[in-house]
Amino acid sequence: QVQLVESGGGLVQAGGSLRLSCAASGRIFSSYVMGWFRQAPGKEREFVAAITWSGNSIYYADFVKGRFTISRDNAKKTVSLQTSALMPEDTAVYYCAASTGNYGGPYNYWGQGTQVTVSS
């Protein structure tokens, strides 16, 4: 069982940055692929980024490449998403998730989400 709690969201102007963090509880955090997803109002939840347990493999959605960076610290049981060059279309609730499979899923555990609002 893994519990995930996100933090770091907020209101930022376009071009700004935020660092989102996800704290996990559970004994085997290091074995999970960790991912970030987002859901904008009226839209479906979409994949943002994922990182394997070793950190050696990282995946990004095309729309965040070069702007967002995912990282993890297995000792601290945290995964982070450093965002930069934010745009109004990045406004969404950002969710942390843990996968028992690969970066494509299945994501079995989800956090409650943290709101990111980017003003123009």
Side-chain angles (χ1 to χ4, degrees), residues 22-108:
C22 175
S25 62
R27 294 184 300 148
I28 53 174
F29 169 81
S30 61
S31 67
Y32 291 98
V33 171
M34 298 301 298
W36 285 95
F37 292 75
R38 71 185 188 185
Q39 187 167 19
K43 295 186 178 181
E44 293 188 352
R45 187 176 296 182
E46 61 182 354
F47 171 81
V48 175
I51 184 168
T52 56
W53 69 271
S54 66
N56 289 338
S57 295
I58 291 175
Y59 307 89
Y60 294 105
D62 288 342
F63 56 79
V64 302
K65 284 182 180 177
R67 300 190 299 125
F68 293 6
T69 302
I70 189 172
S71 61
R72 70 188 293 166
D73 185 330
N74 288 337
K76 295 182 178 179
K77 296 184 179 179
T78 59
V79 60
S80 299
L81 185 70
Q82 178 67 52
T83 69
S84 64
L86 286 164
M87 302 180 290
E89 48 264 48
D90 293 317
T91 295
V93 178
Y94 284 71
Y95 297 91
C96 173
S99 170
T100 55
N102 58 33
Y103 83 98
Y107 286 87
N108 307 85

Side-chain angles (χ1 to χ4, degrees), residues 2-37:
V2 176
Q3 292 183 330
L4 305 171
V5 179
E6 302 94 336
S7 62
L11 174 63
V12 63
Q13 289 187 332
S17 62
L18 285 172
R19 185 175 181 85
L20 308 183
S21 295
C22 175
S25 62
R27 294 184 300 148
I28 53 174
F29 169 81
S30 61
S31 67
Y32 291 98
V33 171
M34 298 301 298
W36 285 95
F37 292 75

